Amino acid sequence: MLNIVLFGPPGAGKGTQSEKIIARYELNHISTGDLFRKHLNEGTELGLLAKKYMNEGNLVPDSVVIGMVDEKIKSTPGVKGFIFDGFPRTVPQAEALDALLSSKGTPISGMVALDVPENELFKRIKERGKTSGRADDQDNDKVMNRIKVYNDETLPVAAYYKKQGKYAEIYGIGEIDEIFNKICVEIDRWK
Ligand code: ADP
């Protein structure tokens, strides 16, 4: 199996690039942000629980996120691989993901990290906020908090994969297809 972690700050272009990666490599998409938004729209208990964290731009507790991913992986047998988008966002989540995958006899192939400067992230998220309908895209303080949470809690996850020699960094500014081609060069090495 090919199991990719797509990493980067909010607004780095993970959603856009994951669509293209999925189409080329036939991977199953696991976006924890999308899954939480689905629960929120459907008004499930999990959605209600996640809502207060998401609206402030804080992380949903690890146990909740890990449980949701575990269920999602188990409900999709026989796939060619997964692309994890917006997950793992903490080192305990990364450790839990390793455990979940090793129980399926398959490891993470590698992490692709999109590198985008902060001023550009801010611009992109505010622009997306005009149409995304996401409360967390529309308020300056919430956007700033998401970037702060990323720097404080999520960045150490990159080191976790670097240590294992499973890390590739791609500069995330430029044409979408140009960035995609650079991502494919890395993924093809892991196939
Ligand atoms: P973005 O990358 O634009 O910040 P996401 O759609 O990935 O947005 O996530 C939206 C929100 O959902 C996050 O701010 C957080 O509250 C919650 N969330 C998503 N994934 C995780 C995760 N792996 N761990 C904790 N919280 C998460």
Side-chain angles (χ1 to χ4, degrees):
M1 278 169 76
L2 180 66
N3 299 310
I4 306 293
V5 175
L6 188 58
F7 188 75
K14 299 188 294 291
T16 308
Q17 293 298 336
S18 53
E19 276 179 30
K20 298 177 76 71
I21 297 169
I22 289 158
R24 174 161 312 179
Y25 297 96
E26 299 174 70
L27 302 178
N28 197 285
H29 192 204
I30 298 192
S31 159
T32 44
D34 287 353
L35 289 172
F36 281 130
R37 277 185 290 277
K38 187 161 180 278
H39 277 282
L40 230 151
N41 289 336
E42 291 170 358
T44 68
E45 207 174 307
L46 183 63
L48 279 175
L49 195 158
K51 185 176 177 178
K52 59 176 192 287
Y53 298 100
M54 294 177 73
N55 280 351
E56 293 308 313
N58 291 320
L59 295 184
V60 178
D62 284 341
S63 58
V64 176
V65 185
I66 292 163
M68 182 175 74
V69 171
D70 184 20
E71 205 175 287
K72 185 76 188 164
I73 291 178
K74 284 186 179 141
S75 68
T76 45
V79 294
K80 289 193 175 176
F82 293 100
I83 177 159
F84 298 96
D85 166 1
F87 176 87
R89 246 173 163 101
T90 63
V91 171
Q93 288 182 20
E95 289 166 350
L97 179 60
D98 277 348
L100 288 179
L101 289 177
S102 78
S103 73
K104 285 182 75 89
T106 176
I108 285 293
S109 312
M111 165 184 271
V112 172
L114 294 173
D115 172 31
V116 176
E118 263 178 40
N119 59 342
E120 174 71 15
L121 299 174
F122 203 79
K123 265 197 326 218
R124 287 187 189 177
I125 296 173
K126 294 299 300 234
E127 191 57 36
R128 181 171 75 185
K130 292 179 188 166
T131 54
S132 69
R134 283 176 54 173
D136 63 345
D137 280 350
Q138 288 168 24
D139 179 292
N140 283 354
D141 288 346
K142 290 175 186 172
V143 174
M144 301 263 261
N145 188 46
R146 277 154 68 202
I147 296 175
K148 182 180 184 310
V149 166
Y150 172 80
N151 287 326
D152 293 349
E153 300 181 51
T154 303
L155 261 184
V157 176
Y160 180 87
Y161 291 99
K162 260 183 216 169
K163 263 191 297 200
Q164 300 179 33
K166 293 181 176 179
Y167 179 84
E169 193 168 283
I170 307 282
Y171 189 55
I173 293 202
E175 291 294 324
I176 289 173
D177 282 333
E178 189 191 316
I179 297 167
F180 176 60
N181 288 336
K182 289 189 203 158
I183 293 175
C184 292
V185 170
E186 301 297 338
I187 294 181
D188 288 340
R189 271 198 248 274
W190 298 326
K191 271 203 318 189

